[in-house]
Every structure is written in structure tokens, then in C-alpha cells.
Amino acid sequence: MKLPQLISNDSNVSFSQFPGYAAKFEKKLSDIIKFSDFVIEIVDARIPVSSRNSRIENYIGSKPLLVVLNKSDLASTFFTEKWINYFKSIGIYAISANSKFDSLNKKIRKYISFLNFSLKRRPRTVVLGVPNVGKSSFINNILNRCKTKIENRPSVTKKVDWFSCGNYELCDTPGILAPKIFGENVLKNLVIAGVIEHKDIFEIVIDLINLIRINNNSDLFKLDDSYEILKNFGKSRGFLLSDGKINVDLAASSFLNDFRKNKFGRMTLEAPDD
Ligand SMILES: Nc1nc2c(ncn2[C@@H]2O[C@H](COP(=O)(O)OP(=O)(O)OP(=O)(O)O)[C@@H](O)[C@H]2O)c(=O)[nH]1
Ligand SMILES: [Mg+2]
């Protein structure tokens, strides 16, 4: 299977997004991790590298780490398996998850028994990750009820909350990004996956269409020109301006929404090195 590549890495591109509540939370992070017995880091299975915050790793230190490749229902099964093996090869236990529909409690209990704690209390874990990867959904899935607020946009959870599921305790946390993100690829991936909200999505969507075209044979993607594909998409939705031209900006945001809902098929945007 051919992996689509976003345009080449440009380390000169940077982006800043670090709201006050994230800075406040990061100050407490060391203490929360110290209080926890292990850490669960949620990443987006479509972008397992771009959706990791390298700063989080500095805080984790020697605590056991479980990486959860969440939203696996939106990613290529083939690449998710490759990613799990990659994490294993660097000594990190990783699992795939669909927090909307899987039953995840069993998988976590299995990991806890693998860690073989000799504690006189229930093990505690803190759930970390960048915004909008599904941390709160993961916790609700474990608790089997809606205890924490979920929305389809970044930065919904703004405070730390502990919950008990009977066998262990879990902590929901606000999503935090590194204060500065470097590299055009990473930035694009984060926008495509909905981790970052960005006004200027037109070029990103054109690049995304270039990628989808590689493996998608449906009628919409038969043309060679991604701009024409976007225009056809806009036309089919009736996104017209008063002068009769197609509203390509509206088409771009609608296309991105459809991509995030899996309307063009499952897709992983990053592959591990072989
Ligand atoms: N398809 C799919 N969607 C998911 C999955 N997990 C979460 N979502 C959706 O992703 C969006 C964000 O979920 P949240 O649980 O609020 O994410 P979060 O990481 O807590 O976000 P912040 O609190 O803003 O950092 C919601 O629309 C969820 O329904 C999953 O496994 N698959
Ligand atoms: Mg949340």
C-alpha cells in the first residue's frame, strides 16, 4: 500500500497556540504524574507522531507509559498495526482504540495486570494528549457513561478531573500542545485531524485532495487537478457565490469536515520508518 506524503518538511514554519489554562495545567503536570502509577497518552491514529507533544515525554520520566492510538476507526488498519509494532520496537506498549464504539476497560485492565503493581490501593492513571484526540471520550468509554464533556473541537476540557471506574482511577486533563509547533507537515496534519483550528485551510485541503487521489478511485477523484476536484465538490453541494462562481472556501471547509467524518475512506497520514 502506498502511503501518501504531505509536502516536504519545512522546519521554518512555526505556529504558536498556548492558552492560559494550558500553561496553568502544565505547571501542575509533574505533580499529577508523580501522583499517578502510570500514564496513558492518547494520540490520533491518523497522525501518531504529529499528535504527540514531545514536552509531555519530559514530564513522564520513568513512569510506565501506554500509548493509545485512538480514532483508529478513521485510520488505515494496516498502518495502525505498523505503528503498534513500531512503538513496541522502542519499548512502548501501544494499543489501538475507537473510543466511540470499542469496549476499552478490558484492554486497560490487561495492561494493568501486565504492569503487576503491588499496591494496597487502586492504581491511578492520568490521561494526557494534545487537544481533540479523544481523551474525554476515552474516559467516558471506560466509565461507561458520559461523565466528562465531549465536543468536536479542540480545547473543550479545561481542568483536571479524577474518576473511579472501580478497578482503577483515571484523570481527565486539558489537551496541551507544545507552545510552538515547527514544521509545515506537522502543522498541516494537526489542522487536518482537527487538533488545531486554523482559518487558512484552502491550501491544506488542496494538499489533502492530492493525497486522497492516490488511493481513491471514486468519480469525485478521477480528475488530475485537485482544485477542479474541490470546485466539483463545491458545485455538487450548491456552494455558489452571488456571481455564480463556486465558493471554494466554503467547499474547502465542508470537504475537510467530510474527511474528518471518514466520507472518503480511512486514511493514515504518517507511516513509521521500516
Ligand atoms: N471517530 C472517532 N471519533 C472520536 C473517537 N474518540 C473521540 N472522538 C471524537 O473526537 C472529538 C473530540 O473528543 P474529546 O473526547 O472531546 O477529545 P479531547 O481529547 O478530550 O479534547 P479536549 O478536551 O478539547 O482536549 C469528539 O467529536 C468525539 O466524538 C474515536 O475513537 N473515533
Ligand atoms: Mg476533553
Side-chain angles (χ1 to χ4, degrees):
M1 188 190 216
K2 204 166 160 197
L3 181 81
Q5 287 291 318
L6 280 171
I7 68 167
S8 66
N9 239 331
D10 178 355
S11 55
N12 292 322
V13 175
S14 75
F15 174 84
S16 259
Q17 184 172 304
F18 206 62
Y21 73 84
K24 224 163 133 186
F25 165 61
E26 202 176 315
K27 276 195 193 136
K28 292 193 235 159
L29 191 51
S30 289
D31 288 340
I32 296 169
I33 291 177
K34 246 184 246 160
F35 186 72
S36 307
D37 300 297
F38 67 103
V39 174
I40 295 179
E41 184 182 358
I42 310 279
V43 301
D44 187 316
R46 295 166 296 176
I47 49 166
V49 174
S50 300
S51 62
R52 289 196 84 191
N53 175 354
S54 53
R55 288 160 65 89
I56 287 179
E57 282 170 64
N58 301 334
Y59 288 101
I60 293 172
S62 58
K63 283 278 150 116
L65 169 67
L66 171 67
V67 169
V68 174
L69 293 143
N70 193 41
K71 304 198 182 186
S72 61
D73 54 309
L74 306 180
S76 139
T77 317
F78 173 81
F79 282 115
T80 299
E81 209 46 53
K82 277 198 137 208
W83 275 113
I84 288 173
N85 290 333
Y86 165 80
F87 280 111
K88 199 171 163 193
S89 74
I90 59 166
I92 297 176
Y93 199 106
I95 57 168
S96 67
N98 171 353
S99 291
K100 277 181 144 178
F101 298 111
D102 283 353
S103 184
L104 298 170
N105 196 358
K106 218 170 159 185
K107 284 189 177 182
I108 306 305
R109 288 215 313 265
K110 190 174 161 205
Y111 178 67
I112 293 174
S113 55
F114 162 79
L115 291 174
N116 204 8
F117 289 122
S118 51
L119 299 167
K120 291 208 169 80
R121 52 164 175 77
R122 285 192 289 244
R124 301 180 192 124
T125 184
V126 56
V127 178
L128 300 174
V130 300
N132 211 27
V133 285
K135 299 175 295 300
S136 303
S137 304
F138 173 85
I139 288 177
N140 285 343
N141 177 302
I142 301 280
L143 300 175
N144 216 359
R145 66 187 88 136
C146 289
K147 282 275 195 180
T148 77
K149 197 169 158 196
I150 292 169
E151 272 181 52
N152 193 10
R153 61 175 179 87
S155 307
V156 171
T157 305
K158 292 205 166 53
K159 60 180 184 60
V160 168
D161 252 330
W162 282 93
F163 301 94
S164 173
C165 78
N167 300 81
Y168 50 97
E169 287 172 27
L170 302 115
C171 178
D172 192 15
T173 62
I176 46 166
L177 284 163
K180 244 188 174 152
I181 294 156
F182 294 98
E184 190 164 357
N185 272 356
V186 175
L187 183 56
K188 279 185 183 187
N189 287 342
L190 293 175
V191 173
I192 290 171
V195 173
I196 288 177
E197 282 176 328
H198 206 271
K199 276 192 215 126
D200 248 344
I201 58 158
F202 178 77
E203 291 296 336
I204 293 175
V205 169
I206 293 293
D207 282 339
L208 178 61
I209 296 173
N210 282 334
L211 305 180
I212 296 173
R213 269 175 38 206
I214 299 173
N215 293 316
N216 192 312
N217 297 321
S218 69
D219 282 351
L220 178 64
F221 297 99
K222 286 231 163 89
L223 291 172
D224 288 333
D225 184 332
S226 292
Y227 183 54
E228 289 302 318
I229 293 176
L230 183 63
K231 283 207 306 195
N232 279 350
F233 174 82
K235 198 169 158 189
S236 71
R237 295 292 163 97
F239 296 150
L240 299 178
L241 295 165
S242 52
D243 60 4
K245 286 190 182 147
I246 290 152
N247 186 338
V248 285
D249 290 323
L250 186 56
S253 70
S254 176
F255 186 93
L256 190 54
N257 278 337
D258 277 8
F259 172 80
R260 290 174 183 159
K261 287 182 195 147
N262 238 4
K263 297 249 171 94
F264 310 118
R266 291 164 162 238
M267 197 162 154
T268 300
L269 299 169
E270 299 173 324
D273 295 333
D274 282 315

